[in-house]
Amino acid sequence: MANRYRTLLGAAAGVAMLATAAVAPAQASAVAPVSVTFAAAEDVFVSQAEPAKSFATATWMSVCGTACGSATAGERAALTRFKVTGIPQDAEDVKVTLDVVSARTTDTTVSVRPVTGAWTEAATTWNTRPALSAPVIGSHTGFTTGATAKLDVSSAVNGDGTYAFALTGTDATTTVLMSSRESGNRGPKLTVTYTEGTGDEQTDGPLPFTLAGTAALRASARKVFAHYFSPYPISLDNQAPAGDYYARNYLKPDGESGKHAAYGGLLRDRPLGRDPIAGDYALADLKTEVRQAIAAGLDGFTVDILSVTSAQWTRVQNLVKAAEAVDPGFTIVLMPDMNGLSSVDSAAFATAMAKLAASKSVHRLADGRLVVAPFKAEARTPAWWSDWMKTMETQHGIKVALVPTFVDFNKYRDAFAAISYGFSNWGSRSPAANAGLQANIDRAHGMGKIWMQPVSVQDERPNQSVFDEAGNTENLRATWKGAIDGKAEWVQLTTWNDYSENTQFAPSRNAGWTYLDINAYYLTCYKLGCPKITNDTAYLTHRIQPVAADPEYAQTKLMKLRDGSTAARDTVEVLTMLTAAGKVSVTIGGTTQTYDAPAGVSAKTFPLKAGTASASVTRSSAVVAKVVSPYAISATPYVQDLHYRAASSER
C-alpha cells in the first residue's frame, strides 16, 4: 500500500503542488463489508410548549422548529443514545448512519448533532435537556410514512463507545418518528458498516501505521489545529543554517549583542535549516510549513496575531496567502493575541480581522460565521467583545463565532458564555497539571459550548527562568487522552513553532519529525479511532543534561520548576508501537537493560546517564526496530538546556 505520509513529506520538501494520489483516502480493502446495527438504549423527545412534561413513554418522537404549529415557542427535539461494541480497531472504510422510521409523510428537514451533556430518558424534559448547540453533522430532507431515513453520523463515531445524538429541525411542520423502546423494532438504530483489515498492510514510510488520506481526516467533525507563532518562521534571513540569524543570534549566549547572555541565549531549538532559495523566500517557507502540517494530518493553524501593523502582521497575511495557494481546505483560525493588541482600538481591530477574513482559507463554520479565537480573551471585557462583534457585522457584514482562549477559563467562562460559540484555555504542560482535563470539557459542554482542547509536548522558557516537567512524552499522551476521553470538538496543538517557550511540534533541529510522528497516531485515534499498528517503531526521548546540572557558561538566570508541575526527573523514555510483543534492549551511558514490550503502544523509562542512548526491538532473534539518539548526554552542559530531544527508529 502506498504510504501517503511519505508522499506528502516529499511535497513538504519543496514540491509545488500536491499530487492527487497523495491526498486521496487509502484504497478500500477487497474484504466484503460488514454491517452491524445497534438499537437505541434510550430515546425521548422534549417540547418547548410543555417544558416540564416528560414524554418518556410516548410511542413517537417529534422534531419541529420554533414556530411549530404556529406557536411562538413550539420547538421540539429528539434525543437518542446508543452503545456501540465489537468494532475492530483495524476497521476500514467505516460509515455510520442514524436510521429513523417516519410515522408521517412530510417534506421537512431533520438535522443531527452529537450530544455530550448528561441526560436520561426518564428524567429529561425541555427544562432539563442537555445543550443542543453542537455543530450539525448530518441531515435528511423528505420523510415517507413507514420508510427509513438515514442520517450520516460517521464523523462522530470513533469505534466502540457510547454515543448520543439530538434530532432537530427548523420547519413549522412536525416530523414524527417512531420511538424504539415503545414501538418495538421501528425505533432509531445506529448502523455501522466497515471492512475488516486484511492484516497484511505494511507501511513503507516513517509511521507505525498507515495514515488516512487528507479527505478522510478532514471528513471528521473533530478538528486539529496547531498554534502558529509568527516570530519564528523557517528562516529569518534566507541564509545557510550554519550561519543564519538563528545560529548567530538566538542560539548563542552572546547573540544580539549579548542581550540574552543572562539566560544562555534566547533559544535552545530552531526550525530545520535549509539552503538559501531564490525568489520570495518568506512566502515559500510558509508554504513549506503548510505542507508539513498537512502531511502530519492537521486541519489548519490557529495564528497568533501579535500586531496589525508590523512585520508580524505581514507574516500573518502571508501565512493566509500560503494556505490559500497550497490547499484552501487547510484553514487558518484567527487568534488575535490580546497581550500584543492591548493598545489597538475596536474599529482598527475589526478592519484588520475583516481584511484577513476575505480569504477563503480563513476558518468559518458551516453557517458562514467567522471563527475568532482570541488568546487571553479576558484582557477585554465581554461587553467590549460584544460591541466589537456588532461592529464586525454592521460595518463589515461578518458574523463572528467567538471561541475565547482563556488563561483562566474557570474565572471567566460564565461572563463570556452569552457571546461565545465555544471555549478553550491555554493549558498547562505537565502531567500533574493535566490530570483532570475532562472537568473543563464537561463544564463547556454543560453550557452548550464546543471545547478546543490544548495538546502539548513540553514547555521550557530560558528567558522567563521557568520550566515544566513534561515527563518525556507523558504530557503529550495525557493531553491527547483528555481530548479523546472528553470528546472535545477541536484540538489546538500548543504550539507549532514557539521556540522561545520550547513548546514546538514543528520539524526542528532537536526532534526532527518525531513529535509530529507520535502526534499523528493520537490525532488518528481522536478523529477516526486508533489505527492498527503495521510497522514496528521505537522512539527515544531524553534531555541532554540532568535537571540539576550546572552549566559551564556563566548564566545568571537559571530555569526553575513551575509551581504545580510534575516533579522534575532525569529519565530516558522508550516509546514503542509494535505489531506484536518484542524484547527491547536499551543502552544508556554504556549500561544495557532489557524488558518485554507488549503489542501496541507502550512506554518505559530508565535513569538518565552521561553518554549516548539507544534502543532496539527484537522478535524471534531478528531486529525489527532500532533507534540511536544523535544527542549526547552530558553532566556539564555548556548552557542550561532542559528541552527534551526526540529520535525515531524510522527516520
Side-chain angles (χ1 to χ4, degrees), residues 20-387:
T20 302
V23 298
Q27 185 176 353
S29 168
V31 179
V34 176
S35 187
V36 184
T37 299
F38 302 91
E42 293 188 278
D43 59 73
V44 70
F45 79 94
V46 295
S47 172
Q48 187 180 19
E50 300 175 274
K53 182 176 179 178
S54 169
F55 292 90
T57 60
T59 57
W60 71 93
M61 293 196 299
S62 293
V63 178
C64 201
T66 301
C68 187
S70 300
T72 56
E75 184 177 353
R76 297 181 181 186
L79 299 168
T80 184
R81 179 183 286 119
F82 302 89
K83 185 175 182 180
V84 175
T85 60
I87 307 302
Q89 286 193 354
D90 62 346
E92 300 175 357
D93 307 315
V94 180
K95 182 175 182 179
V96 186
T97 60
L98 173 56
D99 307 334
V100 292
V101 178
S102 179
R104 293 181 185 172
T105 298
T106 60
D107 61 356
T108 53
T109 298
V110 170
S111 298
V112 60
R113 309 164 187 266
V115 175
T116 55
W119 65 276
T120 63
E121 177 180 296
T124 300
T125 66
W126 180 267
N127 288 339
T128 63
R129 72 194 187 285
L132 307 182
S133 57
V136 170
I137 57 172
S139 62
H140 183 85
T141 300
F143 294 83
T144 302
T145 302
T148 299
K150 294 180 175 290
L151 295 93
D152 192 336
V153 295
S154 304
S155 63
V157 177
N158 298 291
D160 289 357
T162 299
Y163 301 93
F165 302 97
L167 296 167
T168 61
T170 57
D171 297 284
T173 301
T174 306
T175 306
V176 182
L177 308 170
M178 299 299 184
S179 176
S180 64
R181 295 166 66 84
E182 285 72 33
S183 63
N185 196 40
R186 295 180 297 173
K189 296 180 178 63
L190 203 67
T191 300
V192 183
T193 302
Y194 62 91
T195 53
E196 296 188 56
T198 61
D200 59 0
E201 305 93 342
Q202 284 293 319
T203 60
D204 60 356
L207 296 182
F209 66 100
T210 300
L211 185 64
T214 301
L217 290 170
R218 289 183 185 168
S220 171
R222 296 180 173 183
K223 301 302 175 187
V224 180
F225 305 101
H227 182 86
Y228 192 93
F229 192 57
S230 61
Y232 301 117
I234 288 177
S235 178
L236 291 159
D237 56 5
N238 198 30
Q239 299 299 308
D244 67 1
Y245 200 91
Y246 283 105
R248 298 192 315 271
N249 291 298
Y250 285 169
L251 293 168
K252 291 183 177 180
D254 58 356
E256 293 195 320
S257 302
K259 65 187 291 185
H260 308 296
Y263 36 87
L266 179 62
L267 306 183
R268 299 298 185 267
D269 196 9
R270 58 163 296 161
L272 287 178
R274 58 149 181 81
D275 291 330
I277 58 177
D280 187 346
Y281 77 88
L283 183 59
D285 283 345
L286 290 168
K287 290 178 181 179
T288 293
E289 292 192 89
V290 168
R291 293 188 181 105
Q292 289 172 337
I294 293 171
L298 304 185
D299 293 290
F301 286 136
T302 53
V303 61
D304 193 310
I305 304 171
L306 292 162
S307 166
V308 295
T309 58
S310 68
Q312 303 304 336
W313 172 241
T314 300
R315 201 167 285 150
V316 168
Q317 294 178 86
N318 281 338
L319 179 64
V320 172
K321 291 178 184 177
E324 194 171 69
V326 173
D327 179 358
F330 180 87
T331 56
I332 307 299
V333 177
L334 304 184
M335 182 167 278
D337 190 317
M338 303 318 292
N339 282 331
L341 299 175
S342 58
S343 62
V344 178
D345 66 47
S346 179
F349 178 45
T351 298
M353 296 305 101
K355 183 176 182 179
L356 295 175
S359 171
K360 59 185 177 181
S361 288
V362 169
H363 192 71
R364 294 177 180 266
L365 300 181
D367 62 11
R369 281 181 291 169
L370 174 71
V371 175
V372 178
F375 170 76
K376 200 177 181 181
E378 62 263 45
R380 298 290 179 97
T381 66
W384 187 94
W385 284 109
S386 182
D387 288 343

Side-chain angles (χ1 to χ4, degrees), residues 470-634:
N472 301 85
T473 69
E474 185 179 349
N475 184 70
L476 174 59
R477 291 179 280 118
T479 48
W480 265 119
K481 185 177 188 301
I484 294 167
D485 291 351
K487 295 182 171 58
E489 287 80 6
W490 297 347
V491 158
Q492 179 179 211
L493 305 184
T494 48
T495 62
W496 175 259
N497 63 335
D498 190 344
Y499 292 92
S500 57
E501 296 185 357
N502 281 299
T503 54
Q504 61 275 5
F505 277 83
S508 74
R509 182 194 69 171
N510 289 356
W513 282 75
T514 301
Y515 288 128
L516 279 177
D517 289 354
I518 297 170
N519 189 75
Y521 175 82
Y522 292 100
L523 176 150
T524 302
C525 291
Y526 169 72
K527 281 178 166 279
L528 305 175
C530 289
K532 180 180 180 181
I533 303 299
T534 57
N535 186 35
D536 295 304
T537 305
Y539 303 103
L540 273 180
T541 55
H542 63 86
R543 292 191 175 108
I544 60 170
Q545 65 159 84
V547 171
D550 291 325
E552 292 180 353
Y553 185 82
Q555 287 182 232
T556 58
K557 294 176 67 175
L558 294 174
M559 289 179 281
K560 296 181 180 179
L561 189 67
R562 189 189 303 274
D563 290 342
S565 175
T566 298
R569 73 189 202 190
D570 296 323
T571 52
V572 176
E573 180 192 86
V574 183
L575 176 66
T576 53
M577 298 187 184
L578 303 179
T579 60
K583 184 170 289 296
V584 182
S585 177
V586 185
T587 301
I588 305 167
T591 301
T592 300
Q593 302 177 66
T594 62
Y595 70 98
D596 294 322
V601 182
S602 174
K604 191 172 180 63
T605 58
F606 300 87
L608 185 79
K609 294 181 180 180
T612 60
S614 63
S616 61
V617 182
T618 59
R619 189 180 303 117
S620 301
S621 300
V623 176
V624 296
K626 182 176 182 179
V627 54
V628 178
S629 173
Y631 313 107
I633 303 163
S634 173

